[in-house]
Amino acid sequence: MIHPTCLEVLATVQTTFSRDIVPKLDDIEARSAAATIEHLLRHVALRIEHEGEFLTTDIARLSALLSRTADWMESRGAGNPGSVRDLLAGEERAVGSYRSLEALGSAALALRGALVEVQELLHARDEGDSEAADIHEAVREYIGLQLTDEAKLIEPAFSGQGPRR
């Protein structure tokens, strides 16, 4: 591991900024900007600490959901299940290899894009298609889990930490 770690460097910047710079700001706009900077520094620290785990979990959830969805698409002759399968095959090849946060983020974004396309198919489904209704419910559950994960990165950085601009 490289020392100091990114989190340690960020903590030093955060402490120095809050201790040495913020108290010398007299202008309300400058103090407001400083508060925003402090919020964002906390947010970045949380992302460094947790984003890789959240993205890896998100990709696993999306892969399972999209695999189930591709099966449904094939059984109904709906959409383009081949493109979903190709996307999932690429993810399967990447499992076990090191990926940067940027690469993980791009993979999750691509999978979410496929999920958006699937949602359009699910909205147009036959009312009697209970499998589609179950998948639609699983999509809603996935979105709830994704929002819960994102809140873990946002809440502690911004809520209860003073005003934001």
Side-chain angles (χ1 to χ4, degrees):
M1 176 176 279
I2 299 171
H3 290 284
T5 67
C6 291
L7 282 173
E8 290 168 338
V9 170
L10 192 57
T12 299
V13 169
Q14 203 171 359
T15 299
T16 302
F17 181 74
S18 297
R19 183 190 62 217
D20 298 338
I21 296 173
V22 173
K24 294 177 180 162
L25 298 174
D26 295 326
D27 180 75
I28 188 73
E29 289 178 15
R31 290 186 73 76
S32 177
T36 298
I37 291 168
E38 289 174 317
H39 291 307
L40 293 173
L41 288 171
R42 282 189 300 275
H43 181 64
V44 169
L46 286 165
R47 289 182 70 167
I48 289 170
E49 191 172 355
H50 300 290
E51 190 168 14
E53 175 190 353
F54 288 168
L55 285 170
T56 301
T57 300
D58 191 47
I59 289 167
R61 286 178 190 147
L62 282 162
S63 295
L65 181 56
L66 286 170
S67 178
R68 180 178 173 195
T69 302
D71 292 342
W72 172 80
M73 292 166 70
E74 286 171 349
S75 71
R76 303 302 190 273
N80 186 357
S83 67
V84 173
R85 295 246 187 250
D86 289 345
L87 190 58
L88 292 171
E91 264 315 299
E92 190 130 334
R93 285 189 298 274
V95 169
S97 64
Y98 172 78
R99 292 196 279 178
S100 67
L101 286 177
E102 184 175 349
L104 287 170
S106 293
L109 187 63
L111 292 169
R112 287 181 201 137
L115 187 63
V116 168
E117 292 176 20
V118 165
Q119 283 181 289
E120 292 174 11
L121 293 173
L122 291 169
H123 286 260
R125 73 186 186 281
D126 291 332
E127 287 300 316
D129 189 340
S130 62
E131 187 178 358
D134 290 345
I135 293 170
H136 197 241
E137 179 60 30
V139 169
R140 282 194 293 274
E141 288 173 17
Y142 160 76
I143 292 169
L145 291 170
Q146 182 192 21
L147 291 172
T148 299
D149 285 347
E150 288 179 11
K152 291 174 186 172
L153 298 176
I154 294 169
E155 266 310 300
F158 297 95
S159 296
Q161 302 291 335
R164 297 186 302 243
R165 347 192 286 159

